[in-house]
Amino acid sequence: MAAPHRFDPTFTDNVINSMGPKTSPRMRQLMAGLIRHVHDFARENELTVDEWMAGVQMLNWAGRMSDDKRNEGQLVCDVIGLESLVDEITFTLAHEAADAPTATAILGPFFRADTPWRDNGADIVVTKPDDAEMAFMHGRIIDFATQKPLVGASVEVWQASTNGLYEQQDPNQVEFNLRGKFKTDADGRYYFYCLRPTPYPVPDDGPAGKLLELMDRHPFRPAHIHILATHEGYRPLTTQIFDRKDKYLDNDSVFAVKDSLIVDFVPRDGDSKAALELKYDVKLVADA
Amino acid sequence: MAAPHRFDPTFTDNVINSMGPKTSPRMRQLMAGLIRHVHDFARENELTVDEWMAGVQMLNWAGRMSDDKRNEGQLVCDVIGLESLVDEITFTLAHEAADAPTATAILGPFFRADTPWRDNGADIVVTKPDDAEMAFMHGRIIDFATQKPLVGASVEVWQASTNGLYEQQDPNQVEFNLRGKFKTDADGRYYFYCLRPTPYPVPDDGPAGKLLELMDRHPFRPAHIHILATHEGYRPLTTQIFDRKDKYLDNDSVFAVKDSLIVDFVPRDGDSKAALELKYDVKLVADA
């Protein structure tokens, strides 16, 4: 409950109680909670008209910047930690139901649903930057309960190039560069070549960037690779893995790092295509 | 303080503490409060990814609909009572500093800063609807402390037509219809002809309308006239006055009604231009 205050004590209840009988129970719960928190925020901080209007303009600006390649409203949520928090809530609830599968992380705004299938062993670095550090990434998809490998599971990966841009942000990268969908083989294995990821700033030319500036924060994300793993009969898993050597691990601008998602790139011998190697197994939980 | 929860207990503090030393003290206070409330809301309601994303899409939609004639982000705030609450906070703080001037109300999204001056006695109903009920509105602008009339004060008024539309929403009304700026005469008086206002729905073809629908609420605002009164050396006053006969007084879709803002239209005799009369005095508080 909020602290006592000197404003109209009935105002917030009146707004909440204006909801009609046809409101769904979940909608009623969410809107009542949202209204109460927004009102408490305004009262506790004695929000001024100018401050409120500055917030409105920032939200309108986010909407105007958004299109099918950019979701600025999502990015605004990301820089205040909301997407990572919703992810943690989702993961905690799943965890309580099913012990401890692989930790999850946010999908982020750069996922593409139409990413093409590639064969195991493929190189997703189609447009190769001059400063590429190549890595061989491999691992297995495993049933969390039985520890048995899952054959024919799907692993989708995406990463930014060394200039900090995903392919859809960068006209100099071919479409679907640094993306791929792989199917696990008869041993449950997937493997491909990719970049050792590099840190990059989230787009800071919109309201999310303005918020970061006002909060005196940098826009950088630590180097990471996105993973979405799915298999029939199992819960899909969205995660990101982070390079232990990255300097932004402790202050990711979107707060997605978890200890269990930090990985080590190790030297790889005898492979002319990659000097580094990364092994990463993903555990999936069967549907209830 | 929020209730104990079973999620990462350090997450919210980490996000708040990521603000750097150059954040202004007020920004730090507002962002810390906003982040804490948004995170508490998400945890208390175990917000799902789909629910969060539905909210993001709604905010982006509001931004896309907004332009120089429409502020949908503002309207979304209005239907959850936020603009009226910020107004109440502003009024309460002013009140504590200076006893009780005229109550305030929200500016709303239909104010136009470029409204033309008109002479006292003018008729602001330039495009006259068939179902117009004409009223003669008059009153004085008074110094709150001395009760003396203020000469040369400015009174700006605006109202919707009987079809529920303000002139900038309606191609069939001439520009600045149902708007005017008046200067008080040597007795501190202003007077003009206007419509008896009629109730109307806020625009419900965007996210604000969708929210109202999801909350099973009607979009109507009780009949009202907007007033903005200013005079050099005094605090500007924004208010709305409401017709006591209106059926939506108790459930204004934007929660702006206050008892002291309810007024009575009374019969007017011997005036061929108007069968109704409304007297309304506005009290302004001198600058500190």
Side-chain angles (χ1 to χ4, degrees):
Chain A
M1 286 292 94
H5 59 76
R6 63 192 190 280
F7 304 106
D8 177 355
T10 66
F11 186 84
T12 297
D13 286 338
N14 282 346
V15 174
I16 290 170
N17 292 335
S18 70
M19 281 187 271
K22 284 179 283 191
T23 313
S24 77
R26 179 63 174 165
M27 188 70 192
R28 184 181 302 273
Q29 177 189 343
L30 290 178
M31 288 308 298
L34 185 68
I35 289 166
R36 207 171 285 290
H37 276 294
V38 168
H39 288 197
D40 284 344
F41 165 71
R43 281 186 290 251
E44 287 161 7
N45 296 287
E46 295 179 355
L47 196 65
T48 70
V49 172
D50 288 349
E51 288 165 347
W52 163 69
M53 191 48 80
V56 167
Q57 302 301 10
M58 204 163 259
L59 292 180
N60 283 339
W61 181 18
R64 281 200 307 276
M65 281 195 109
S66 297
D67 56 30
D68 56 353
K69 287 194 173 177
R70 177 165 185 171
N71 189 333
E72 185 73 11
Q74 179 172 1
L75 191 59
V76 167
C77 292
D78 288 359
V79 301
I80 62 165
L82 183 56
E83 183 170 7
S84 286
L85 176 59
V86 169
D87 172 70
E88 194 222 334
I89 292 167
T90 307
F91 175 72
T92 300
L93 299 181
H95 172 108
E96 288 173 356
D99 285 319
T102 299
T104 57
I106 65 179
L107 192 62
F110 301 111
F111 172 73
R112 285 187 66 171
D114 53 351
T115 295
W117 289 100
R118 300 188 195 271
D119 291 330
N120 277 308
D123 181 354
I124 65 172
V125 195
V126 185
T127 305
K128 197 155 306 215
D130 290 341
D131 55 352
E133 277 195 273
M134 293 295 298
F136 178 73
M137 178 169 170
H138 64 107
R140 291 185 311 158
I141 311 291
I142 297 167
D143 178 300
F144 170 71
T146 66
Q147 301 287 315
K148 287 194 179 147
L150 295 173
V151 178
S154 150
V155 189
E156 185 164 350
V157 296
W158 62 106
Q159 65 178 169
S161 191
T162 55
N163 63 357
L165 298 175
Y166 288 86
E167 50 88 9
Q168 75 264 60
Q169 301 175 283
D170 184 357
N172 295 319
Q173 293 179 47
V174 301
E175 189 164 29
F176 301 119
N177 187 44
L178 299 169
R179 293 177 188 275
K181 255 167 113 167
F182 299 89
K183 249 194 205 331
T184 54
D185 65 15
D187 300 319
R189 293 181 68 237
Y190 71 87
Y191 46 101
F192 59 88
Y193 291 92
C194 62
L195 291 179
R196 177 183 209 155
T198 39
Y200 64 82
V202 297
D204 61 357
D205 54 337
K210 184 71 192 169
L211 267 183
L212 287 171
E213 181 197 321
L214 288 169
M215 291 191 286
D216 188 22
R217 282 171 44 191
H218 69 73
F220 279 88
R221 300 219 53 215
H224 61 276
I225 298 173
H226 290 271
I227 300 174
L228 170 59
T230 58
H231 190 55
E232 213 187 307
Y234 290 79
R235 298 202 202 127
L237 185 123
T238 305
T239 195
Q240 296 173 29
I241 50 178
F242 298 90
D243 185 344
R244 189 179 309 280
K245 296 260 171 74
D246 194 277
K247 68 173 175 171
Y248 295 111
L249 278 187
D250 288 336
N251 51 12
D252 180 2
S253 61
V254 306
F255 308 97
V257 180
K258 294 172 189 167
D259 289 346
S260 67
L261 297 175
I262 298 174
V263 297
D264 295 283
F265 287 83
V266 297
R268 175 171 173 87
D269 295 326
D271 185 342
S272 62
K273 289 183 177 166
L276 293 166
E277 178 172 333
L278 172 65
K279 181 173 184 303
Y280 191 72
D281 288 343
V282 178
K283 292 170 185 169
L284 293 185
V285 172
D287 285 333
Chain B
M1 285 292 93
H5 59 77
R6 61 192 191 280
F7 304 106
D8 177 355
T10 66
F11 185 83
T12 298
D13 286 337
N14 282 345
V15 175
I16 290 171
N17 293 335
S18 70
M19 281 188 270
K22 284 179 282 189
T23 314
S24 77
R26 180 61 173 167
M27 187 70 191
R28 185 181 300 275
Q29 177 189 344
L30 289 177
M31 289 308 299
L34 185 68
I35 289 165
R36 208 171 284 290
H37 276 294
V38 167
H39 288 197
D40 284 344
F41 164 72
R43 280 185 291 250
E44 286 161 8
N45 295 287
E46 296 179 353
L47 196 66
T48 70
V49 172
D50 288 348
E51 288 165 346
W52 163 69
M53 191 48 81
V56 167
Q57 303 300 8
M58 204 162 261
L59 292 181
N60 283 338
W61 182 17
R64 280 198 309 277
M65 282 195 109
S66 297
D67 55 29
D68 56 352
K69 288 196 172 177
R70 178 166 185 170
N71 189 333
E72 185 74 10
Q74 179 172 3
L75 192 59
V76 168
C77 291
D78 289 358
V79 302
I80 63 166
L82 183 57
E83 184 170 6
S84 286
L85 176 59
V86 169
D87 172 69
E88 194 223 333
I89 292 167
T90 306
F91 174 73
T92 300
L93 299 181
H95 173 106
E96 288 174 354
D99 286 318
T102 299
T104 58
I106 65 179
L107 191 63
F110 300 111
F111 172 72
R112 284 186 67 171
D114 52 352
T115 295
W117 289 100
R118 299 188 196 270
D119 293 329
N120 277 308
D123 181 354
I124 65 171
V125 194
V126 184
T127 306
K128 199 155 305 215
D130 291 340
D131 54 353
E133 276 194 90
M134 293 296 297
F136 178 73
M137 178 168 170
H138 64 106
R140 291 186 309 158
I141 312 292
I142 297 169
D143 177 299
F144 170 72
T146 66
Q147 300 287 316
K148 288 197 177 144
L150 294 174
V151 178
S154 149
V155 189
E156 186 164 348
V157 296
W158 63 107
Q159 63 178 168
S161 190
T162 56
N163 65 356
L165 298 175
Y166 288 85
E167 50 87 12
Q168 75 264 58
Q169 299 175 285
D170 183 357
N172 295 319
Q173 294 179 47
V174 301
E175 190 165 29
F176 301 119
N177 189 42
L178 299 169
R179 292 175 189 275
K181 255 168 115 168
F182 299 89
K183 248 194 207 330
T184 54
D185 65 15
D187 299 319
R189 292 182 70 236
Y190 71 86
Y191 47 101
F192 59 89
Y193 291 92
C194 62
L195 292 178
R196 177 184 208 154
T198 39
Y200 64 83
V202 298
D204 61 356
D205 56 336
K210 185 70 192 169
L211 267 183
L212 287 171
E213 180 197 321
L214 287 168
M215 291 191 287
D216 188 22
R217 283 172 43 191
H218 69 73
F220 279 88
R221 299 220 51 214
H224 62 276
I225 298 174
H226 290 271
I227 299 174
L228 170 60
T230 58
H231 190 55
E232 215 188 306
Y234 289 79
R235 297 201 204 130
L237 185 122
T238 305
T239 194
Q240 295 174 30
I241 50 178
F242 298 90
D243 185 344
R244 192 179 306 280
K245 296 260 171 75
D246 195 277
K247 68 174 176 171
Y248 296 111
L249 279 186
D250 289 335
N251 51 13
D252 180 3
S253 61
V254 306
F255 308 97
V257 181
K258 294 171 189 168
D259 290 345
S260 66
L261 298 175
I262 299 174
V263 296
D264 295 284
F265 287 83
V266 297
R268 176 171 172 87
D269 294 327
D271 185 342
S272 62
K273 288 183 177 166
L276 293 166
E277 178 172 332
L278 172 65
K279 180 173 186 304
Y280 190 72
D281 288 343
V282 178
K283 294 172 182 166
L284 293 185
V285 173
D287 284 335

PDB file of all heavy atoms in Angstrom, chain A residues 168-186:
ATOM      1  N   GLN A 168      19.348  -6.185 -40.554  1.00  0.00           N
ATOM      2  CA  GLN A 168      18.235  -5.347 -41.005  1.00  0.00           C
ATOM      3  C   GLN A 168      18.451  -3.863 -40.715  1.00  0.00           C
ATOM      4  O   GLN A 168      17.716  -3.031 -41.216  1.00  0.00           O
ATOM      5  CB  GLN A 168      16.893  -5.838 -40.435  1.00  0.00           C
ATOM      6  CG  GLN A 168      16.658  -5.534 -38.969  1.00  0.00           C
ATOM      7  CD  GLN A 168      17.018  -6.694 -38.093  1.00  0.00           C
ATOM      8  OE1 GLN A 168      18.175  -7.130 -38.100  1.00  0.00           O
ATOM      9  NE2 GLN A 168      16.081  -7.200 -37.318  1.00  0.00           N
ATOM     10  N   GLN A 169      19.484  -3.556 -39.923  1.00  0.00           N
ATOM     11  CA  GLN A 169      19.818  -2.150 -39.671  1.00  0.00           C
ATOM     12  C   GLN A 169      20.875  -1.634 -40.633  1.00  0.00           C
ATOM     13  O   GLN A 169      21.195  -0.454 -40.605  1.00  0.00           O
ATOM     14  CB  GLN A 169      20.398  -1.991 -38.250  1.00  0.00           C
ATOM     15  CG  GLN A 169      19.506  -2.435 -37.124  1.00  0.00           C
ATOM     16  CD  GLN A 169      20.267  -2.341 -35.798  1.00  0.00           C
ATOM     17  OE1 GLN A 169      21.109  -3.182 -35.483  1.00  0.00           O
ATOM     18  NE2 GLN A 169      19.989  -1.309 -35.046  1.00  0.00           N
ATOM     19  N   ASP A 170      21.469  -2.508 -41.429  1.00  0.00           N
ATOM     20  CA  ASP A 170      22.701  -2.180 -42.145  1.00  0.00           C
ATOM     21  C   ASP A 170      22.585  -2.549 -43.625  1.00  0.00           C
ATOM     22  O   ASP A 170      22.632  -3.726 -43.984  1.00  0.00           O
ATOM     23  CB  ASP A 170      23.847  -2.975 -41.493  1.00  0.00           C
ATOM     24  CG  ASP A 170      25.211  -2.648 -42.083  1.00  0.00           C
ATOM     25  OD1 ASP A 170      25.277  -1.846 -43.037  1.00  0.00           O
ATOM     26  OD2 ASP A 170      26.200  -3.203 -41.589  1.00  0.00           O
ATOM     27  N   PRO A 171      22.481  -1.552 -44.496  1.00  0.00           N
ATOM     28  CA  PRO A 171      22.344  -1.849 -45.937  1.00  0.00           C
ATOM     29  C   PRO A 171      23.570  -2.541 -46.522  1.00  0.00           C
ATOM     30  O   PRO A 171      23.489  -3.112 -47.619  1.00  0.00           O
ATOM     31  CB  PRO A 171      22.139  -0.465 -46.569  1.00  0.00           C
ATOM     32  CG  PRO A 171      22.608   0.531 -45.555  1.00  0.00           C
ATOM     33  CD  PRO A 171      22.452  -0.117 -44.203  1.00  0.00           C
ATOM     34  N   ASN A 172      24.721  -2.524 -45.817  1.00  0.00           N
ATOM     35  CA  ASN A 172      25.926  -3.164 -46.348  1.00  0.00           C
ATOM     36  C   ASN A 172      26.044  -4.641 -45.995  1.00  0.00           C
ATOM     37  O   ASN A 172      27.012  -5.302 -46.373  1.00  0.00           O
ATOM     38  CB  ASN A 172      27.177  -2.416 -45.858  1.00  0.00           C
ATOM     39  CG  ASN A 172      27.225  -1.004 -46.422  1.00  0.00           C
ATOM     40  OD1 ASN A 172      26.907  -0.783 -47.598  1.00  0.00           O
ATOM     41  ND2 ASN A 172      27.581  -0.039 -45.581  1.00  0.00           N
ATOM     42  N   GLN A 173      25.079  -5.175 -45.248  1.00  0.00           N
ATOM     43  CA  GLN A 173      25.083  -6.616 -44.970  1.00  0.00           C
ATOM     44  C   GLN A 173      23.999  -7.275 -45.827  1.00  0.00           C
ATOM     45  O   GLN A 173      22.920  -6.723 -45.989  1.00  0.00           O
ATOM     46  CB  GLN A 173      24.776  -6.903 -43.487  1.00  0.00           C
ATOM     47  CG  GLN A 173      25.859  -6.433 -42.523  1.00  0.00           C
ATOM     48  CD  GLN A 173      25.498  -6.728 -41.073  1.00  0.00           C
ATOM     49  OE1 GLN A 173      25.073  -7.828 -40.728  1.00  0.00           O
ATOM     50  NE2 GLN A 173      25.663  -5.723 -40.216  1.00  0.00           N
ATOM     51  N   VAL A 174      24.289  -8.471 -46.363  1.00  0.00           N
ATOM     52  CA  VAL A 174      23.273  -9.177 -47.147  1.00  0.00           C
ATOM     53  C   VAL A 174      22.153  -9.625 -46.191  1.00  0.00           C
ATOM     54  O   VAL A 174      22.366  -9.780 -44.981  1.00  0.00           O
ATOM     55  CB  VAL A 174      23.838 -10.412 -47.900  1.00  0.00           C
ATOM     56  CG1 VAL A 174      24.953  -9.991 -48.849  1.00  0.00           C
ATOM     57  CG2 VAL A 174      24.315 -11.474 -46.937  1.00  0.00           C
ATOM     58  N   GLU A 175      20.973  -9.796 -46.747  1.00  0.00           N
ATOM     59  CA  GLU A 175      19.835 -10.169 -45.912  1.00  0.00           C
ATOM     60  C   GLU A 175      20.122 -11.500 -45.213  1.00  0.00           C
ATOM     61  O   GLU A 175      20.675 -12.421 -45.808  1.00  0.00           O
ATOM     62  CB  GLU A 175      18.563 -10.271 -46.757  1.00  0.00           C
ATOM     63  CG  GLU A 175      17.334 -10.429 -45.868  1.00  0.00           C
ATOM     64  CD  GLU A 175      16.022 -10.158 -46.595  1.00  0.00           C
ATOM     65  OE1 GLU A 175      15.969 -10.393 -47.816  1.00  0.00           O
ATOM     66  OE2 GLU A 175      15.061  -9.711 -45.922  1.00  0.00           O
ATOM     67  N   PHE A 176      19.710 -11.586 -43.960  1.00  0.00           N
ATOM     68  CA  PHE A 176      19.882 -12.779 -43.120  1.00  0.00           C
ATOM     69  C   PHE A 176      21.341 -13.072 -42.789  1.00  0.00           C
ATOM     70  O   PHE A 176      21.671 -14.163 -42.311  1.00  0.00           O
ATOM     71  CB  PHE A 176      19.203 -14.003 -43.742  1.00  0.00           C
ATOM     72  CG  PHE A 176      17.732 -13.809 -43.957  1.00  0.00           C
ATOM     73  CD1 PHE A 176      17.179 -13.881 -45.235  1.00  0.00           C
ATOM     74  CD2 PHE A 176      16.896 -13.520 -42.879  1.00  0.00           C
ATOM     75  CE1 PHE A 176      15.817 -13.680 -45.429  1.00  0.00           C
ATOM     76  CE2 PHE A 176      15.528 -13.320 -43.078  1.00  0.00           C
ATOM     77  CZ  PHE A 176      14.997 -13.398 -44.351  1.00  0.00           C
ATOM     78  N   ASN A 177      22.240 -12.104 -43.033  1.00  0.00           N
ATOM     79  CA  ASN A 177      23.621 -12.248 -42.560  1.00  0.00           C
ATOM     80  C   ASN A 177      23.607 -12.428 -41.041  1.00  0.00           C
ATOM     81  O   ASN A 177      22.830 -11.787 -40.335  1.00  0.00           O
ATOM     82  CB  ASN A 177      24.404 -10.983 -42.931  1.00  0.00           C
ATOM     83  CG  ASN A 177      25.893 -11.107 -42.643  1.00  0.00           C
ATOM     84  OD1 ASN A 177      26.494 -12.149 -42.947  1.00  0.00           O
ATOM     85  ND2 ASN A 177      26.488 -10.058 -42.081  1.00  0.00           N
ATOM     86  N   LEU A 178      24.445 -13.305 -40.543  1.00  0.00           N
ATOM     87  CA  LEU A 178      24.605 -13.513 -39.092  1.00  0.00           C
ATOM     88  C   LEU A 178      23.339 -14.036 -38.419  1.00  0.00           C
ATOM     89  O   LEU A 178      23.075 -13.763 -37.245  1.00  0.00           O
ATOM     90  CB  LEU A 178      25.100 -12.225 -38.412  1.00  0.00           C
ATOM     91  CG  LEU A 178      26.468 -11.725 -38.916  1.00  0.00           C
ATOM     92  CD1 LEU A 178      26.770 -10.332 -38.417  1.00  0.00           C
ATOM     93  CD2 LEU A 178      27.567 -12.706 -38.511  1.00  0.00           C
ATOM     94  N   ARG A 179      22.553 -14.759 -39.199  1.00  0.00           N
ATOM     95  CA  ARG A 179      21.358 -15.440 -38.700  1.00  0.00           C
ATOM     96  C   ARG A 179      21.313 -16.833 -39.291  1.00  0.00           C
ATOM     97  O   ARG A 179      21.745 -17.030 -40.427  1.00  0.00           O
ATOM     98  CB  ARG A 179      20.065 -14.765 -39.200  1.00  0.00           C
ATOM     99  CG  ARG A 179      19.829 -13.423 -38.681  1.00  0.00           C
ATOM    100  CD  ARG A 179      18.574 -12.799 -39.291  1.00  0.00           C
ATOM    101  NE  ARG A 179      18.552 -11.432 -38.853  1.00  0.00           N
ATOM    102  CZ  ARG A 179      18.039 -11.035 -37.692  1.00  0.00           C
ATOM    103  NH1 ARG A 179      17.435 -11.903 -36.910  1.00  0.00           N
ATOM    104  NH2 ARG A 179      18.111  -9.772 -37.330  1.00  0.00           N
ATOM    105  N   GLY A 180      20.697 -17.750 -38.594  1.00  0.00           N
ATOM    106  CA  GLY A 180      20.483 -19.061 -39.178  1.00  0.00           C
ATOM    107  C   GLY A 180      19.643 -19.925 -38.269  1.00  0.00           C
ATOM    108  O   GLY A 180      19.586 -19.704 -37.052  1.00  0.00           O
ATOM    109  N   LYS A 181      18.943 -20.888 -38.890  1.00  0.00           N
ATOM    110  CA  LYS A 181      18.174 -21.882 -38.144  1.00  0.00           C
ATOM    111  C   LYS A 181      18.792 -23.236 -38.452  1.00  0.00           C
ATOM    112  O   LYS A 181      18.989 -23.571 -39.635  1.00  0.00           O
ATOM    113  CB  LYS A 181      16.728 -21.887 -38.651  1.00  0.00           C
ATOM    114  CG  LYS A 181      15.737 -21.212 -37.728  1.00  0.00           C
ATOM    115  CD  LYS A 181      14.428 -21.000 -38.437  1.00  0.00           C
ATOM    116  CE  LYS A 181      13.325 -21.843 -37.842  1.00  0.00           C
ATOM    117  NZ  LYS A 181      12.006 -21.384 -38.363  1.00  0.00           N
ATOM    118  N   PHE A 182      19.103 -23.990 -37.415  1.00  0.00           N
ATOM    119  CA  PHE A 182      19.747 -25.291 -37.586  1.00  0.00           C
ATOM    120  C   PHE A 182      18.904 -26.381 -36.941  1.00  0.00           C
ATOM    121  O   PHE A 182      18.229 -26.123 -35.939  1.00  0.00           O
ATOM    122  CB  PHE A 182      21.145 -25.271 -36.942  1.00  0.00           C
ATOM    123  CG  PHE A 182      22.055 -24.239 -37.565  1.00  0.00           C
ATOM    124  CD1 PHE A 182      22.089 -22.939 -37.079  1.00  0.00           C
ATOM    125  CD2 PHE A 182      22.830 -24.564 -38.667  1.00  0.00           C
ATOM    126  CE1 PHE A 182      22.909 -21.981 -37.665  1.00  0.00           C
ATOM    127  CE2 PHE A 182      23.656 -23.608 -39.267  1.00  0.00           C
ATOM    128  CZ  PHE A 182      23.687 -22.314 -38.764  1.00  0.00           C
ATOM    129  N   LYS A 183      18.983 -27.583 -37.512  1.00  0.00           N
ATOM    130  CA  LYS A 183      18.298 -28.739 -36.923  1.00  0.00           C
ATOM    131  C   LYS A 183      19.345 -29.655 -36.299  1.00  0.00           C
ATOM    132  O   LYS A 183      20.394 -29.876 -36.900  1.00  0.00           O
ATOM    133  CB  LYS A 183      17.553 -29.506 -38.028  1.00  0.00           C
ATOM    134  CG  LYS A 183      16.043 -29.398 -37.902  1.00  0.00           C
ATOM    135  CD  LYS A 183      15.331 -30.410 -38.756  1.00  0.00           C
ATOM    136  CE  LYS A 183      13.925 -29.944 -39.119  1.00  0.00           C
ATOM    137  NZ  LYS A 183      13.240 -29.067 -38.183  1.00  0.00           N
ATOM    138  N   THR A 184      19.067 -30.153 -35.093  1.00  0.00           N
ATOM    139  CA  THR A 184      20.046 -31.045 -34.466  1.00  0.00           C
ATOM    140  C   THR A 184      20.081 -32.393 -35.193  1.00  0.00           C
ATOM    141  O   THR A 184      19.055 -32.887 -35.674  1.00  0.00           O
ATOM    142  CB  THR A 184      19.734 -31.281 -32.978  1.00  0.00           C
ATOM    143  OG1 THR A 184      18.399 -31.746 -32.847  1.00  0.00           O
ATOM    144  CG2 THR A 184      19.909 -29.996 -32.188  1.00  0.00           C
ATOM    145  N   ASP A 185      21.290 -32.969 -35.238  1.00  0.00           N
ATOM    146  CA  ASP A 185      21.493 -34.225 -35.972  1.00  0.00           C
ATOM    147  C   ASP A 185      21.105 -35.440 -35.109  1.00  0.00           C
ATOM    148  O   ASP A 185      20.488 -35.284 -34.046  1.00  0.00           O
ATOM    149  CB  ASP A 185      22.941 -34.308 -36.486  1.00  0.00           C
ATOM    150  CG  ASP A 185      23.958 -34.392 -35.352  1.00  0.00           C
ATOM    151  OD1 ASP A 185      23.554 -34.674 -34.188  1.00  0.00           O
ATOM    152  OD2 ASP A 185      25.160 -34.169 -35.619  1.00  0.00           O
ATOM    153  N   ALA A 186      21.487 -36.618 -35.560  1.00  0.00           N
ATOM    154  CA  ALA A 186      21.081 -37.867 -34.896  1.00  0.00           C
ATOM    155  C   ALA A 186      21.606 -37.960 -33.466  1.00  0.00           C
ATOM    156  O   ALA A 186      21.101 -38.727 -32.639  1.00  0.00           O
ATOM    157  CB  ALA A 186      21.547 -39.068 -35.719  1.00  0.00           C
TER     158      ALA A 186
END
